[in-house]
């Protein structure tokens, strides 16, 4: 037990003196992500109004309603960028998604606040989403293999990929009916 | 005349967006024609002013809507910036499983586990997690004892000490095996947990102490923990049997601690390769006679593979116990205890999966044993997930070797 006590002391000192300067789980600022996607020339954001019918469909995707009645996005021609959040186990994961002509071009974990499962931020996982589109059943057109031990984070990112593709589709329809507005 | 002009203006308002010329022309046609060009010009000027007023009103309305939206978003941002409330920082979860076992040894139904998770986040870098479990329906009912237990399986505080490194202190699950740390019923095949991890590792296994864990490269994880250790009996049929050494951190002897290290690779989707080693200087916590007990070492390694509908789990675990007691005591051969299993699976749909598992384990595999003590078990069955967090299970088990308990099992489980 003497060795255990000594070990506890070392750990305690480490915790106390560990520099508290890093921002845990912040891999890229969302604004920087948007700027990077558009090569430094980000267009002004637009807003997509979410109708009741769309909320029902979003509930099918996420398992719950979307908190906001409208969603901000950035668009240049047929390419849209979305900053979306979903809880894995306990805390929201902030994800940047790029959709081009109805297909996922990029999905990137920007802020990860969960205590487990941050491996989903690595390209070896997120590269699986490249080129994915929505099938008629509202599911992705491909299987996404999860990261072992990060089941809930995998689930959250898969839901956000489906949501971004769905919102991209709704934006195209809203452009016709005038339900989007510049901001 | 005035009444007719008013009607004309109303019409102009309706179709104003079409254009000033058209808008002014139509009401003129609808009303009596103006007598002079001056009157015509005055009408046009009046309608122009009204159109400008309407445009200004519309712009003003849009600005008000935008300002309101901004205010709502700012309020939400301010609330977020001021931090979540106590309730927002406290999380409740749980899982449970009901089993029906129709085996040679028993025919019973049992609410095996009812578990509640409670977690609280003190700050961005300090959090608490706990798991409280009621097994086998409880410990007492109407004054009569029940077969169950109330157990605290996890209660620890976790501190972030660097970007990808965390320290923890308290009571936590030992990082060994596949299901010791992740054992919600929806996450594994088979009604009962596999016999290899139960009898060798021994799952579910928790200790108290402190440790650090984290990532040292993309896909590479580690953990090092210094904790309380096992205390196996030294006499009787369960002498030196690993599973019987769990003290469950209940007034546990702390003469000899255990040091556990694990390394894990999850560098490809659906792949986990891991190895754990543990060393304990005296598995009996000093209760054995001098010279009869000495150090014990666990080595465990496993692979979890999942690609599309195909899954595969494989695990090997072995204990080596020094000293004369484990080798030649009341139940000889306990100086070596090992087991392994392999479990292929296939998902027919996202909701239905089939599996088979071949298990081998032996708690008397050491040098002092002369009898055939190796146990073998084959499991075949299915999982059906009506929801991703709910599972119905069925499996058939057939044992051989030193074990002989055949039959089938049914189960229902959930997590939230």
């Amino acid at each position: 037990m003497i060795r255990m006590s000594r070990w506890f002391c070392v750990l305690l000192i480490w915790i106390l003196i560990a520099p508290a300067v890093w921002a845990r789980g912040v891999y890229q600022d969302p604004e920087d992500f948007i700027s990077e996607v558009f090569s430094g020339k980000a267009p002004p954001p637009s807003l997509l109004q979410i109708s009741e019918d769309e909320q029902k469909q979003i509930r099918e995707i996420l398992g719950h309603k979307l908190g906001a009645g409208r969603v901000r996005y950035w668009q240049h021609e047929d390419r849209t960028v979305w900053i979306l959040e979903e809880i894995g186990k306990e805390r929201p994961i902030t994800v940047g998604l790029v959709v081009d002509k109805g297909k996922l071009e990029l999905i990137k974990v920007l802020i990860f606040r969960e205590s487990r499962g941050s491996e989903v931020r690595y390209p070896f996982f997120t590269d699986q989403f490249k080129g994915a589109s929505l099938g008629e059943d509202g599911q992705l057109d491909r299987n996404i293999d999860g990261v072992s031990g990060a089941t809930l984070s995998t689930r959250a990112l898969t839901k956000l990929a489906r949501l971004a593709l769905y919102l991209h589709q709704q934006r195209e329809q809203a452009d016709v009916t005038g339900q989007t507005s510049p901001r | 005349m005035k009444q007719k002009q008013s009607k004309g203006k109303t019409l102009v308002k309706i179709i104003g967006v079409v254009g000033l010329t058209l808008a002014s022309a139509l009401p003129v046609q609808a009303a009596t024609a103006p007598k002079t060009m001056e009157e015509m010009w005055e009408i046009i000027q009046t309608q122009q002013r009204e159109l400008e007023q309407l445009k200004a009103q519309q712009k003003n309305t849009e600005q008000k809507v935008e300002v309101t939206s901004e205010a709502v978003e700012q309020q939400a941002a301010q609330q977020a910036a001021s931090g979540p409330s106590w309730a927002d920082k406290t999380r409740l979860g749980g899982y449970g499983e009901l089993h029906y076992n129709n085996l040679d040894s028993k025919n019973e139904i049992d609410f095996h586990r009812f578990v509640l998770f409670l977690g609280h986040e003190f700050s961005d870098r300090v959090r608490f997690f706990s798991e409280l479990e009621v097994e086998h329906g409880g410990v007492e009912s109407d004054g009569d004892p029940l077969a169950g237990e109330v157990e605290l399986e996890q209660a620890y505080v976790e501190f972030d000490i660097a970007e990808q490194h965390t320290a923890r202190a308290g009571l936590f699950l030992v990082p060994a095996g596949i299901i010791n740390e992740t054992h919600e019923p929806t996450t594994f095949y088979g009604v009962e947990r596999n016999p290899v991890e139960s009898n060798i590792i021994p799952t579910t296994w928790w200790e108290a102490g402190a440790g650090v864990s984290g990532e040292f490269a993309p896909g590479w994880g580690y953990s090092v923990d210094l904790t309380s250790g096992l205390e196996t009996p030294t006499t009787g049929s369960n002498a030196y049997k690993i599973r019987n050494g769990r003290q469950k951190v209940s007034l546990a002897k702390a003469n000899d601690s255990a040091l556990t290290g694990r390394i894990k690779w999850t560098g490809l989707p659906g792949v986990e390769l891991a190895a754990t080693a543990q060393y304990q200087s005296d598995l009996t916590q000093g209760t054995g006679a001098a010279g009869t007990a000495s150090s014990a070492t666990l080595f465990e390694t496993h692979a979890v593979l999942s690609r599309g509908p195909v899954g595969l789990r494989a695990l090997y675990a072995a204990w080596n116990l020094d000293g004369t007691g484990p080798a030649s005591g009341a139940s000889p051969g306990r100086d070596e205890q090992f087991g392994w299993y392999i479990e292929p699976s296939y998902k027919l749909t996202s909701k239905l999966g089939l599996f088979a598992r071949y298990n081998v384990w032996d708690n008397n595999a050491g040098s002092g044993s002369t009898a055939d003590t190796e146990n073998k078990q084959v499991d075949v069955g299915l999982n059906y997930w009506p929801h991703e967090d709910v599972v119905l299970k069925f499996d058939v088990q057939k044992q051989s070797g030193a074990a002989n308990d055949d039959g089938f099992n049914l189960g229902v489980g959930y997590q939230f």
Side-chain angles (χ1 to χ4, degrees), chain A:
Chain A
M1 273 316 280
I2 293 172
R3 275 178 297 175
M4 184 183 277
S5 303
R6 194 180 301 155
W7 207 84
F8 270 124
C9 291
V10 171
L11 185 63
L12 188 61
I13 292 168
W14 185 6
I15 290 167
L16 290 174
I17 65 173
V21 292
W22 83 96
R24 181 177 182 273
V26 179
Y27 302 112
Q28 187 173 23
D29 185 89
E31 286 187 14
D32 293 342
F33 173 78
I34 295 160
S35 177
E36 185 179 293
V37 169
F38 292 106
S39 303
K41 296 175 183 173
S46 300
L47 287 171
L48 177 65
Q49 304 287 344
I50 306 295
S51 68
E52 283 299 314
D53 286 344
E54 288 165 346
Q55 280 285 14
K56 286 178 186 172
Q57 190 60 38
I58 290 170
R59 196 183 180 93
E60 288 288 313
I61 294 170
L62 296 179
H64 58 83
K65 273 182 71 175
L66 194 66
R70 55 188 196 160
V71 182
R72 191 179 303 179
Y73 67 98
W74 292 258
Q75 178 181 2
H76 178 67
E77 296 178 345
D78 284 340
R79 197 164 174 246
T80 57
V81 174
W82 308 82
I83 305 295
L84 302 172
E85 288 190 343
E86 175 64 356
I87 291 174
K89 185 178 175 68
E90 296 180 333
R91 303 291 310 278
I93 306 167
T94 304
V95 179
L97 304 105
V98 183
V99 184
D100 190 12
K101 298 181 181 68
K103 292 187 174 181
L104 265 177
E105 177 187 315
L106 176 66
I107 177 169
K108 184 173 183 180
V109 174
L110 305 179
I111 306 173
F112 191 88
R113 303 174 183 84
E114 301 276 8
S115 58
R116 301 270 188 284
S118 66
E119 296 93 334
V120 294
R121 75 185 188 276
Y122 289 122
F124 68 71
F125 173 72
T126 55
D127 283 353
Q128 296 181 92
F129 292 91
K130 280 185 179 173
S133 58
L134 272 188
E136 289 184 2
D137 57 354
Q139 300 290 333
L140 296 180
D141 64 350
R142 64 190 61 188
N143 177 71
I144 301 296
D145 290 318
V147 173
S148 187
T151 307
L152 297 177
S153 299
T154 299
R155 201 186 283 176
L157 259 67
T158 305
K159 286 177 179 176
L160 290 182
R162 292 170 59 201
L163 178 61
L165 289 166
Y166 175 73
L167 293 175
H168 181 89
Q169 284 181 353
Q170 301 315 301
R171 176 206 55 84
E172 287 174 340
Q173 294 173 14
D175 277 350
V176 177
T177 57
Q179 289 177 3
T180 54
S181 59
R183 186 174 181 282

Side-chain angles (χ1 to χ4, degrees), chain B residues 125-207:
Chain B
R125 291 168 193 166
V126 182
R127 64 194 74 87
F128 166 77
F129 186 78
S130 68
E131 177 179 346
L132 185 65
E133 177 164 331
V134 177
E135 286 196 351
H136 307 298
V139 295
E140 184 183 299
S141 176
D142 298 331
D144 296 325
L146 298 179
E149 298 167 281
V150 176
E151 296 174 333
L152 187 62
E153 293 197 353
Q154 297 188 74
Y156 63 88
V157 180
E158 195 173 64
F159 312 83
D160 294 335
I161 53 177
E163 176 63 36
Q164 295 300 332
H165 304 276
T166 299
R168 60 179 173 176
L171 185 159
F172 48 83
L173 298 166
V174 177
I178 298 174
I179 64 172
N180 197 55
E181 287 187 297
T182 305
H183 46 235
E184 289 83 350
T186 53
T187 63
F188 64 90
Y189 283 102
V191 175
E192 300 290 348
R193 295 174 183 175
N194 71 78
V196 175
E197 294 195 63
S198 296
N199 287 293
I200 303 298
I201 283 184
T203 293
T204 310
W205 181 19
W206 61 94
E207 299 289 357

